[in-house]
Amino acid sequence: MAFNDFFAGEIATELLKQLIAISRKSCLCKSSADNLITSIEELLPIIDEIKYSGVELPAVRQFQLDRFSETLRGGLELARKVLSSNRWNVYKNLQLARKMEKLEKNVARFVSGPMQAHILADVHHMRFETMERFDRLEGRLEQRLNSMKIGVGAGGWVEEAVKRMEIDEEASSDILGGVGLDLGKSKVKKMLIGRDDLNVVGIWGIGGSGKTTLAHEVCKDNQVRSYFNNKILFLTVSQSPDIEQLRARIWGFITGNEAMGYSTSSFLAPRGKLPSEWGSGPRTLVVLDDVWSESVLEQLVFQIPTYKTLVVSRFKFPTRLVGEVYEVELLRDDESMSLFCHSAFGQKSIPPSADETLVKQIVNECKGLPLALKVIGASLRDQPEMYWASARKRLLRGEPISEAHQNKLLERMAISVEYLNKTVKECFLDLGSFPEDKKIPLDILINMWVALHDIDEEEAFAILVELSDKNLLTLVKDARTGDAFGSYYEIYVTQHDVLRDLALHLSNCGAVNERKRLLMPKRETELPREWERNSDQPFNAQIVSVHTGEMREMDWFRMEFPNAEVLILNFSSEEYFLPPFIDDMPKLRALIIINYGTSDAKLENFQVFTNLAKLGSLWLEKVSVPQLSNVHLRNLQKLSMVFCKLNNSFDQSVVELPQIFPRLSELTIDHCDDLIKLPLSICKLNSLQSLSITDCHRLCELPTDLGMLKKLQILRLYACPELKVLPPSIGELVGLKYLDISQCVNLSCLPKEIGRLASLEKIDMRECLQILDLPTSLLNLKSLRRVICDDEVSGHWKNVEKAMPNLHVQVAERFYSLHWLNA
């Protein structure tokens, strides 16, 4: 955020109001709130003195003040959580009290520290524009510290690609922030905060024109955020929406019961005319991005005076639905040139070494469309002049890009794919297998590419980075939906809907039985009629992607897939009958089953798994896992169960995991809230190299024989608050390189046997505040290079660091972002 905005008093004053409310409330946080009130009241007069000057600060002081503004922003969010916390939730209140104490220390340290005092004594103020740039840069750099992907050799490439993309997006935003974006932002703001008579307003434009970018910029605007008191929800609707789930999310957000909107399908928003008392609630803004139909929009708009809806769409809706619309303007000639040159040359103008006429002709053919400029520019970067000339010829054959020629846009974009290496192009086309506007977990994508293209993980990561560099996909770090703690980040892949359309357009050429990918572009109630008409002949597809609602046995028809290696089943329902044609997929190597519904789906026909002799990777998400006693997957190497109900599927009285998964090397159990104990037979998985048990809030015990996993290299026990001890046998994990026990808040100690882990390189123990004493055996960990911990326990680790010169102790910082924009 900008320094001037902070010292205008918006955050400090608002935080002070919240703290006074906390102080009046009888709770565990009262003492911290009182101390914070005193500190912030001391700052306010200095704020008033500083804010009217124009002297520019040195970079170091800018950095320090910006860090403190972020601390107060985090404090404001924390204060709101404290006020909204129920008294009966003792565990949550204790956690919030600890965080308030930490905030109090940070604020006191700033006020009393010599450096900060020197800053406030010397400086009278600074300009808005300069500080805003330092703020954005600092936020990016600090967030990167927590984003490393552990356990994959080539993961560093991905992290570097994420960094480059963040920097590129920042530069692109600066370029796009010209007259066009500023004008659009101003007009949309006036519709939202200057017109009480408008409850629903819109942003309209062709795909790739920057509609979503404009909507995000509006939501991040300080005036808009202040007007709606930060109550802003950003939802992507898409062509295949789950209406009831979206209504529940919106209604939960409006009423303050957001958790209910996430967790239960029985929590339904009211229909029809709402009670009159809803007209006096707090102002609320919901952004509905990528809306495709009137019928969907009608069901997602609530007629409440203080509630506004911003609709983002490729289509213009009638004024009875959307009161006023801003039409996104394409870029001017100078803006188009700057954006293209940034993507093609890494600068805002044509370099002397380039053919100016050739560059201008290519830019002109992009017709001011931001997505085309970015993607085509990136595809031509570092290519010889003959390559550029060939691209120009292909572009010149098309018709102008306009609203009426969406297919011509795809033809223009296609040149960015045609010149790719064959394997890289195939990987790009594979992205059309996933539903629109959904985040694709990195693990799913890498596993799929390894299975399909005869490449190893390192090459798959290299391809991912290349596609990212060419703007053909986006790498993002985002908090997992449903994460109660909100500090653990994973890397995901997203793709602009026009680029997905391009992948589908190129994949759907030719006869349906001969296509390499058999894909459903959007969710349907039944399988495509085209498939049924051609089901008398085998399908040669390597990838089959199905996207439906509930499927019963009678909804499937017989299909043969002799060459299928990847099957993706996307659906939204409470019951799902697995397709019988899985029996006719003898080469199946990767199976992905994802339920996008609001509750766990019951899977039927699980016996089809018995014939999957070559299956190497299985991903189950938001399903109720059946009993595994009759399943034998002798080649399965990776098993992931995310947001699943396990239902004693690992019941050790009837299940022997080594017999079911004799070659399993990676096991992930994430957000499975009925997991209480790991089965003893898990210790007999002799080939297991990675075990991740994350956000399983009821897990209370690990097997005593955990040390039998001699090949285990990665052990993640992230956010398992009921886990109190680690078994002594952990010291027998001779191959263990990485241990993550962060946010295991009730873990009281590290066992002395940990000193026997000769291969251990890294420990992550953030928010393990009860571990106050460290065993002396840690000095035996000769391979240990990095420890991440909180400030409260860092002193103990610093003592260990003195005796181990190769050890680096990193004190974890908590940084806050606008995550609510992507809720």
Side-chain angles (χ1 to χ4, degrees), residues 521-741:
K522 63 179 182 177
R523 189 179 67 200
E524 303 283 0
T525 57
E526 57 185 17
L527 296 180
R529 296 290 177 85
E530 184 184 25
W531 294 10
E532 186 172 11
R533 284 196 301 268
N534 292 276
S535 61
D536 56 334
Q537 297 291 326
F539 293 84
N540 291 325
Q542 281 186 291
I543 301 178
V544 180
S545 178
V546 177
H547 195 186
T548 64
E550 180 179 348
M551 293 295 281
R552 298 162 297 176
E553 183 175 8
M554 66 186 70
D555 296 324
W556 299 104
F557 46 82
R558 202 70 191 178
M559 304 171 73
E560 292 183 37
F561 296 97
N563 298 314
E565 298 183 49
V566 174
L567 173 61
I568 305 173
L569 300 175
N570 304 292
F571 62 92
S572 300
S573 70
E574 296 183 3
E575 293 187 359
Y576 191 81
F577 191 92
L578 293 171
F581 57 65
I582 293 181
D583 277 342
D584 295 310
M585 292 182 163
K587 296 183 180 180
L588 191 64
R589 299 173 64 185
L591 176 58
I592 300 152
I593 302 175
I594 301 179
N595 170 29
Y596 292 105
T598 56
S599 59
D600 306 292
K602 178 183 178 183
L603 294 181
E604 299 181 18
N605 195 29
F606 209 69
Q607 59 266 27
V608 294
F609 279 61
T610 57
N611 296 326
L612 302 180
K614 292 190 176 182
L615 190 68
S617 172
L618 175 60
W619 181 284
L620 301 174
E621 184 165 342
K622 218 168 193 179
V623 300
S624 184
V625 181
Q627 182 60 251
L628 298 174
S629 56
N630 296 321
V631 176
H632 181 57
L633 298 173
R634 62 176 180 269
N635 281 310
L636 193 72
Q637 297 176 40
K638 298 183 179 182
L639 173 61
S640 300
M641 294 176 287
V642 180
F643 285 100
C644 289
K645 291 292 184 184
L646 300 183
N647 300 311
N648 296 317
S649 54
F650 291 149
D651 187 352
Q652 53 204 34
S653 64
V654 293
V655 174
E656 278 292 322
L657 294 181
Q659 295 178 13
I660 300 171
F661 311 120
R663 297 186 59 193
L664 194 66
S665 61
E666 295 184 22
L667 174 60
T668 298
I669 304 176
D670 178 52
H671 282 86
C672 297
D673 58 12
D674 63 342
L675 178 68
I676 298 176
K677 296 182 180 180
L678 289 178
L680 297 177
S681 63
I682 201 172
C683 302
K684 299 177 184 178
L685 293 171
N686 297 325
S687 56
L688 198 63
Q689 298 179 27
S690 174
L691 175 61
S692 296
I693 315 294
T694 55
D695 279 288
C696 295
H697 295 173
R698 297 180 64 195
L699 178 71
C700 61
E701 185 176 336
L702 298 177
T704 56
D705 292 332
L706 192 67
M708 295 174 62
L709 298 172
K710 302 301 183 184
K711 293 186 178 180
L712 195 68
Q713 298 181 23
I714 297 170
L715 178 59
R716 291 189 183 93
L717 300 169
Y718 168 79
C720 298
E722 293 301 315
L723 190 64
K724 297 181 179 179
V725 295
L726 299 176
S729 66
I730 195 174
E732 300 171 23
L733 299 175
V734 294
L736 194 66
K737 295 182 179 180
Y738 174 58
L739 175 64
D740 183 0
I741 53 173

Side-chain angles (χ1 to χ4, degrees), residues 24-188:
R24 291 171 179 170
K25 178 181 177 182
S26 179
C27 67
L28 294 169
C29 301
K30 178 175 171 48
S31 175
S32 296
D34 289 337
N35 292 334
L36 282 165
I37 289 170
T38 301
S39 297
I40 292 176
E41 284 180 337
E42 291 175 357
L43 282 175
L44 284 174
I46 303 172
I47 290 171
D48 291 332
E49 179 184 347
I50 289 175
K51 73 178 183 180
Y52 295 108
S53 110
V55 179
E56 186 171 321
L57 291 176
V60 173
R61 295 180 180 178
Q62 291 174 338
F63 180 82
Q64 291 285 341
L65 288 169
D66 189 44
R67 290 270 307 259
F68 182 63
S69 71
E70 289 298 321
T71 298
L72 288 191
R73 179 188 293 282
L76 182 57
E77 295 184 15
L78 177 60
R80 289 175 176 142
K81 290 180 181 178
V82 171
L83 287 173
S84 64
S85 177
N86 293 319
R87 294 175 182 268
W88 53 264
N89 195 336
V90 177
Y91 174 76
K92 182 177 180 181
N93 288 330
L94 284 171
Q95 289 293 100
L96 291 172
R98 288 174 181 165
K99 292 179 180 179
M100 285 288 288
E101 290 172 3
K102 185 174 180 179
L103 175 64
E104 177 192 345
K105 287 182 180 179
N106 289 338
V107 172
R109 189 182 297 125
F110 178 86
V111 174
S112 61
M115 175 60 74
Q116 290 77 6
H118 181 62
I119 292 171
L120 291 176
D122 276 0
V123 179
H124 297 291
H125 21 243
M126 60 190 308
R127 287 196 299 262
F128 170 89
E129 294 84 0
T130 303
M131 191 54 214
E132 184 172 69
R133 290 182 182 276
F134 272 94
D135 174 77
R136 290 200 302 260
L137 177 61
E138 188 225 0
R140 290 198 309 274
L141 292 175
E142 296 291 356
Q143 286 180 1
R144 289 172 196 154
L145 293 176
N146 296 323
S147 63
M148 278 293 185
K149 184 174 178 67
I150 304 297
V152 181
W157 302 354
V158 179
E159 178 60 25
E160 288 302 314
V162 172
K163 292 178 185 178
R164 289 198 301 273
M165 180 155 287
E166 289 173 343
I167 294 170
D168 286 345
E169 286 297 321
E170 188 70 25
S172 296
S173 177
D174 287 344
I175 295 167
L176 290 172
V179 175
L181 186 61
D182 288 343
L183 178 63
K185 186 176 171 182
S186 174
K187 289 188 175 182
V188 176

Side-chain angles (χ1 to χ4, degrees), residues 231-275:
K231 281 189 66 66
I232 301 175
L233 176 66
F234 200 108
L235 292 176
T236 301
V237 179
S238 77
Q239 293 185 71
S240 309
D242 185 323
I243 300 298
E244 292 304 328
Q245 185 179 18
L246 288 170
R247 282 180 59 82
R249 287 285 306 278
I250 295 169
W251 185 246
F253 184 75
I254 293 172
T255 60
N257 295 315
E258 295 173 70
M260 297 182 71
Y262 279 106
S263 61
T264 173
S265 59
S266 62
F267 178 70
L268 299 177
R271 297 186 181 275
K273 188 177 176 70
L274 295 171

Side-chain angles (χ1 to χ4, degrees), residues 436-459:
E436 59 178 340
D437 299 319
K438 299 295 184 184
K439 297 168 187 171
I440 309 169
L442 202 62
D443 289 341
I444 289 181
L445 202 56
I446 295 299
N447 291 345
M448 187 173 84
W449 286 349
V450 169
L452 281 172
H453 303 301
D454 297 322
I455 57 177
D456 55 24
E457 288 191 353
E458 285 72 19
E459 188 173 352

